[in-house]
Coordinates of all heavy atoms in Angstrom, one line a residue:
M30 N 1.5 54.6 -23.4 CA 1.1 53.3 -22.9 C 2.1 52.7 -22.0 O 3.1 52.1 -22.4 CB 0.8 52.3 -24.0 CG 1.6 52.5 -25.3 SD 0.9 51.5 -26.7 CE 1.4 49.9 -26.2
H267 N 6.4 59.1 -26.8 CA 6.3 57.8 -27.3 C 5.3 57.8 -28.5 O 4.6 58.8 -28.8 CB 5.7 56.8 -26.3 CG 4.3 57.1 -25.9 ND1 4.0 58.0 -25.0 CD2 3.1 56.6 -26.4 CE1 2.7 58.1 -24.8 NE2 2.1 57.3 -25.7
D269 N 2.3 55.2 -30.1 CA 1.5 54.0 -29.9 C 1.4 53.2 -31.2 O 0.6 53.6 -32.1 CB 0.1 54.3 -29.4 CG 0.2 55.1 -28.1 OD1 0.6 54.5 -27.1 OD2 -0.1 56.3 -28.1
M314 N -6.2 61.4 -32.3 CA -4.9 61.3 -33.1 C -5.2 60.2 -34.2 O -5.3 59.0 -33.8 CB -3.7 60.9 -32.3 CG -3.2 62.1 -31.5 SD -1.7 61.7 -30.7 CE -2.2 60.6 -29.4
H323 N 4.4 61.8 -28.8 CA 3.6 62.6 -27.9 C 3.8 62.2 -26.5 O 4.3 61.1 -26.3 CB 2.1 62.5 -28.3 CG 1.5 61.1 -28.2 ND1 1.7 60.2 -29.2 CD2 0.8 60.5 -27.2 CE1 1.1 59.1 -28.9 NE2 0.6 59.2 -27.7
N366 N -7.4 56.3 -22.6 CA -6.8 56.3 -24.0 C -7.4 55.1 -24.8 O -7.0 54.0 -24.6 CB -5.3 56.2 -23.8 CG -4.5 56.8 -24.9 OD1 -4.1 56.2 -25.8 ND2 -4.4 58.1 -24.8
R368 N -8.6 52.7 -28.0 CA -8.2 52.3 -29.3 C -9.1 51.3 -30.0 O -9.7 50.5 -29.3 CB -6.8 51.6 -29.2 CG -5.7 52.5 -28.7 CD -5.3 52.2 -27.3 NE -4.4 53.3 -26.7 CZ -3.1 53.2 -26.7 NH1 -2.5 52.2 -27.2 NH2 -2.4 54.2 -26.1
Ligands
MN24 MN1 0.1 57.5 -26.4

Side-chain angles (χ1 to χ4, degrees):
M30 29 195 286
H267 67 277
D269 300 291
M314 283 189 290
H323 59 279
N366 210 264
R368 295 105 194 266

